[in-house]
Amino acid sequence: MESNCCVKTRKIMKNFLKYNWKTISLIIFGVIFIYLLVRVFTPTPDMSELNKYKLEQIDKHINEMKTLQKSLSDSIQVYQHKIDEIDNKISHIKVEKKEVNNFYTQKKEEIKNADNKQIDSLLRSRYNF
């Protein structure tokens, strides 16, 4: 048989749990909630060495791409300058062509309206014979 002391202890525990079960469960849930909060808001440990190496390699490739892009940009500017020069020359040639075309148009009209003597004079002065 059980001793009288154990029975009393069980009865006391049973009554204690019966009246304080809400407080005990709130304390347990509170501790779990605080643990989860700490777990969520604590920063994660540093990355592994492999991840650090991969990030360094990516940074290295990015820097190489930036230097390549800068050199390409410089080359593009040089080519753009050359293109502008060529465009300038082309527009100058167009102006000269228009002037030459106008000159020959005038001469053509002069020849249409000229007589034989004026035509001979024009050809002699032009070809020096």
Side-chain angles (χ1 to χ4, degrees):
M1 298 232 156
E2 291 183 46
S3 69
N4 201 9
C5 179
C6 281
V7 173
K8 285 183 182 180
T9 307
R10 277 190 199 155
K11 221 178 213 186
I12 292 172
M13 280 302 265
K14 189 175 180 181
N15 285 337
F16 178 77
L17 290 174
K18 187 176 180 181
Y19 293 112
N20 295 319
W21 70 271
K22 289 181 183 178
T23 307
I24 293 170
S25 44
L26 281 176
I27 290 172
I28 291 172
F29 287 129
V31 169
I32 291 172
F33 180 72
I34 290 173
Y35 171 76
L36 290 175
L37 280 177
V38 169
R39 174 90 184 209
V40 167
F41 291 112
T42 301
T44 57
D46 289 341
M47 294 178 283
S48 69
E49 292 299 318
L50 178 63
N51 287 342
K52 285 181 182 179
Y53 175 75
K54 286 180 180 179
L55 282 175
E56 287 172 0
Q57 292 300 315
I58 290 172
D59 285 342
K60 184 179 173 184
H61 288 297
I62 288 173
N63 289 334
E64 288 174 1
M65 295 300 267
K66 283 181 180 178
T67 56
L68 179 64
Q69 184 178 6
K70 185 173 178 3
S71 70
L72 288 174
S73 177
D74 293 342
S75 297
I76 288 173
Q77 287 178 351
V78 168
Y79 288 127
Q80 185 63 42
H81 181 70
K82 288 181 180 181
I83 288 172
D84 290 342
E85 287 177 0
I86 292 171
D87 282 344
N88 243 352
K89 289 178 183 178
I90 289 173
S91 64
H92 184 68
I93 289 172
K94 284 181 180 179
V95 168
E96 287 178 355
K97 179 183 172 190
K98 190 174 183 182
E99 289 174 3
V100 168
N101 198 11
N102 285 340
F103 175 77
Y104 282 108
T105 304
Q106 288 173 356
K107 289 298 180 181
K108 178 180 158 187
E109 292 300 319
E110 285 179 16
I111 290 175
K112 280 184 182 177
N113 297 331
D115 59 3
N116 287 340
K117 197 172 189 179
Q118 289 174 334
I119 293 174
D120 284 342
S121 169
L122 178 68
L123 291 175
R124 278 190 195 141
S125 66
R126 172 77 175 144
Y127 296 109
N128 294 325
F129 68 91

